[in-house]
Amino acid sequence: MSSSTSSHRRSRSDHASTSPSTSSYGQVIERSHPPSVISGLVEEEPNEPQSPQSPTTDALDPIRDQVAQTIVLRAVRKAETIDGTQVGVVTTLPHSSGELFLKTIASHLKRTMLPKQESYLFILTLPTQGLSPVLVCSSSGNLAERAGLVLQSKFLNRVERHELRHGRWGALIRDLCTTTYDEAALWDAVRKAARHPIDPLVPPPGSRSITQILEHARARLERISPQQAYEELQDNTVPWSVVLVDIRPEAQRRTYGSIAGALVVERNVLEWRFDPRCAYRLPIADRYDLRVIIFCQESYTSSLAAASLHDLGMLNATDMIGGYAAWKDAGLPDEVEVSSTAPPTEGRISVPVENS
């Protein structure tokens, strides 16, 4: 082993010996990370194996090596394939070997994937209190760099230091994996970085046009005509409340007119006002069988809005075919009587979302 690697290991051994913590796996080790940690993290391990007689050999090295092999085999089995690249996220338990153990995993991963001649991209993490080391290892430096850039954007103001070297991207991230967001963000970063560059004029796989989105939304609804909507509002025999909801912006209501008695809830706050689980819901939105009839000017936005309420569990929600324009064309009155159980409302006032 080279003198630089030996001195690097001696420095880590000295550091561990002065710590009150032991080197048992799973124990949280509180320690600071000098700037040299990042450089050491992205350095590759030497190809030649360490001699058993080397004075810097740690008694736990064989155990770490075996654990690293097991972690790699499990990670490869669970890996996803994105555009021909094997991707995954490995989170290890904190222990005293720290960044050295991540490098050991990276070396085993390289030796495992190299014979297969497959493209791969893995993010290796070791969450600790404070700053946590993260190592991105890949079959190409370009993939590692892309993943690093995505990580920087996802963990904004939390990446303390980072460096790209030898096809590896290493960094220290503050308070890693303290929330469910972090693990999801790590997976999202590795998936997005592995995607092949695409023609900006070609729709990405899995995307849908607005026409397709609209068709899918309407397939979920039992849409009704303006006349049917008017009759439902006048029917006092139904066991549930019925509300007519105008989601048009104020400018459209001023230009084309409105229906007095309809509940005005502009589109940007609709879900917050009709989610029974939300603290900012309307008083009437306290049950999931509420009949919500939504309309906009021509019934395009209203279909998407009604489908969104279905996602909240408001399965009685629907929209009015043709919107306000069809209501006017049908000669229906400009004023309706809202359901007897609906709360009084200022018909032309939209309540903004409150800050939580």
Side-chain angles (χ1 to χ4, degrees):
M1 177 176 289
S2 65
S3 60
S4 62
T5 306
S6 298
S7 62
H8 182 65
R9 287 204 173 180
R10 279 196 296 271
S11 67
R12 297 205 177 279
S13 178
D14 292 341
H15 179 77
S17 64
T18 59
S19 171
S21 305
T22 66
S23 57
S24 61
Y25 289 94
Q27 183 167 354
V28 175
I29 307 297
E30 295 185 11
R31 52 202 167 91
S32 60
H33 296 269
S36 59
V37 164
I38 299 300
S39 297
L41 189 62
V42 295
E43 289 286 353
E44 287 190 317
E45 290 285 325
N47 293 327
E48 64 273 10
Q50 182 169 284
S51 171
Q53 290 76 28
S54 171
T56 60
T57 301
D58 192 318
L60 292 177
D61 277 352
I63 298 177
R64 294 192 192 103
D65 198 65
Q66 185 176 2
V67 172
Q69 290 184 50
T70 303
I71 289 174
V72 167
L73 291 176
R74 186 183 299 117
V76 171
R77 280 200 307 268
K78 294 183 177 181
E80 299 179 5
T81 302
I82 306 293
D83 288 351
T85 297
Q86 296 287 307
V87 303
V89 174
V90 176
T91 302
T92 67
L93 294 175
H95 47 75
S96 59
S97 61
E99 300 79 18
L100 180 61
F101 187 56
L102 290 188
K103 291 175 62 178
T104 303
I105 296 175
S107 297
H108 278 289
L109 186 59
K110 181 178 180 180
R111 287 196 289 270
T112 300
M113 300 300 294
L114 196 59
K116 300 180 181 181
Q117 296 184 337
E118 293 180 353
S119 176
Y120 69 91
L121 176 64
F122 284 80
I123 297 178
L124 314 181
T125 68
L126 194 148
T128 60
Q129 293 179 354
L131 297 177
S132 302
V134 174
L135 179 61
V136 179
C137 53
S138 173
S139 53
S140 77
N142 183 43
L143 279 175
E145 183 177 15
R146 277 158 46 186
L149 291 172
V150 177
L151 285 174
Q152 285 179 260
S153 65
K154 286 190 169 294
F155 294 93
L156 205 59
N157 298 324
R158 291 172 60 187
V159 178
E160 291 292 319
R161 292 182 289 273
H162 61 88
E163 183 175 343
L164 177 69
R165 189 186 300 180
H166 304 303
R168 294 178 179 177
W169 186 90
L172 297 177
I173 299 180
R174 189 186 308 110
D175 301 327
L176 186 63
C177 293
T178 55
T179 67
T180 55
Y181 165 84
D182 289 0
E183 184 178 358
L186 292 170
W187 272 103
D188 190 58
V190 79
R191 289 170 181 141
K192 286 180 176 175
R195 289 176 182 164
H196 289 161
I198 61 173
D199 185 339
L201 300 181
V202 176
S207 65
R208 295 179 296 166
S209 69
I210 187 57
T211 299
Q212 292 172 314
I213 293 174
L214 184 62
E215 289 175 351
H216 182 264
R218 287 176 171 174
R220 302 168 61 187
L221 307 174
E222 293 183 14
R223 307 179 72 213
I224 60 176
S225 68
Q227 183 63 42
Q228 289 172 312
Y230 180 72
E231 291 172 359
E232 283 197 34
L233 291 167
Q234 307 304 308
D235 188 354
N236 293 321
T237 64
V238 292
W240 50 76
S241 302
V242 181
V243 290
L244 184 64
V245 180
D246 186 348
I247 63 170
R248 295 174 300 159
E250 184 180 358
Q252 279 192 334
R253 298 197 302 273
R254 280 201 312 264
T255 302
Y256 300 104
S258 59
I259 304 173
L263 194 61
V264 176
V265 182
E266 293 191 3
R267 179 65 190 91
N268 62 319
V269 296
L270 181 72
E271 288 83 357
W272 283 267
R273 296 299 177 258
F274 283 100
D275 182 0
R277 288 163 285 199
C278 181
Y280 306 120
R281 64 175 176 81
L282 293 171
I284 197 175
D286 59 351
R287 51 192 299 162
Y288 288 93
D289 62 353
L290 178 66
R291 177 63 161 172
V292 183
I293 304 173
I294 302 174
F295 71 92
C296 61
Q297 186 60 29
E298 295 179 341
S299 80
Y300 293 99
T301 305
S302 60
S303 295
L304 302 179
S308 182
L309 291 191
H310 275 235
D311 293 334
L312 297 177
M314 305 294 288
L315 302 183
N316 268 349
T318 190
D319 78 322
M320 189 169 66
I321 299 171
Y324 179 75
W327 178 281
K328 291 293 288 183
D329 290 343
L332 295 171
D334 291 335
E335 183 174 357
V336 295
E337 186 174 334
V338 297
S339 170
S340 58
T341 56
T345 177
E346 294 291 338
R348 291 177 171 81
I349 296 180
S350 176
V351 184
V353 174
E354 301 177 33
N355 294 324
S356 59

